[in-house]
Amino acid sequence: MPEPEATVITGSISSSLVLAADDPTALARFYGALLGTQPQPGLSVAHWRVPWPAGGWLEVYAPSRNRPQPRQPGRLALCLQHKADATGALAVLQAWISSALELGATTEDPPRQEPFGAEAWLLDPEGNRLLLLVIPAT
């Protein structure tokens, strides 16, 4: 039996990250402040769009009551990257962590230096895993 042919989508395709939230306004403000950008209203009052540094959007929304999204731990996490400056990767990371903690994040794992850069695992204000990674300046 021959395999069915795939439908090819033509035209421009965009991508975004989608994050369910109990309080989408507050979580969009958190990520907007952490990324140094301004969240924008989305498609409904329970939807916000945060411009993503690499292009696209972080879509923060309140799930439908008809289709709730339960909180769940997992292996998927947001990773925000920053380049080190003259002060070094760990110093930049410590300053970034301080900013995130002031905005409502909590520490999951303390900062550490790895061969690829300095990293720290945090939880955002709603408990989603967040990796802050500072890579060496080139």
Side-chain angles (χ1 to χ4, degrees):
M1 175 188 269
E3 289 190 33
E5 290 187 30
T7 302
V8 177
I9 298 173
T10 58
S12 126
I13 297 175
S14 64
S15 65
S16 61
L17 301 167
V18 179
L19 187 58
D22 295 331
D23 185 346
T25 303
L27 201 57
R29 282 191 198 125
F30 169 82
Y31 280 105
L34 200 57
L35 294 168
T37 188
Q38 189 67 34
Q40 299 176 12
L43 303 173
S44 73
V45 295
H47 176 221
W48 286 87
R49 305 180 86 204
V50 180
W52 198 247
W57 301 90
L58 174 60
E59 308 280 353
V60 184
Y61 73 101
S64 165
R65 289 190 179 109
N66 297 327
R67 233 178 296 142
Q69 296 288 318
R71 290 178 183 236
Q72 56 188 346
R75 295 184 178 192
L76 184 64
L78 296 176
C79 175
L80 304 180
Q81 295 181 21
H82 199 290
K83 284 204 179 218
D85 61 18
T87 64
L90 276 173
V92 171
L93 180 61
Q94 289 288 7
W96 205 6
I97 292 169
S98 293
S99 177
L101 295 176
E102 288 175 15
L103 293 167
T106 56
T107 304
E108 185 175 46
D109 279 330
R112 64 181 167 268
Q113 183 67 51
E114 296 286 353
F116 50 82
E119 70 172 21
W121 284 93
L122 306 177
L123 299 174
D124 74 16
E126 292 207 8
N128 300 299
R129 295 177 72 227
L130 170 63
L131 173 64
L132 297 183
L133 174 63
V134 178
I135 55 177
T138 54

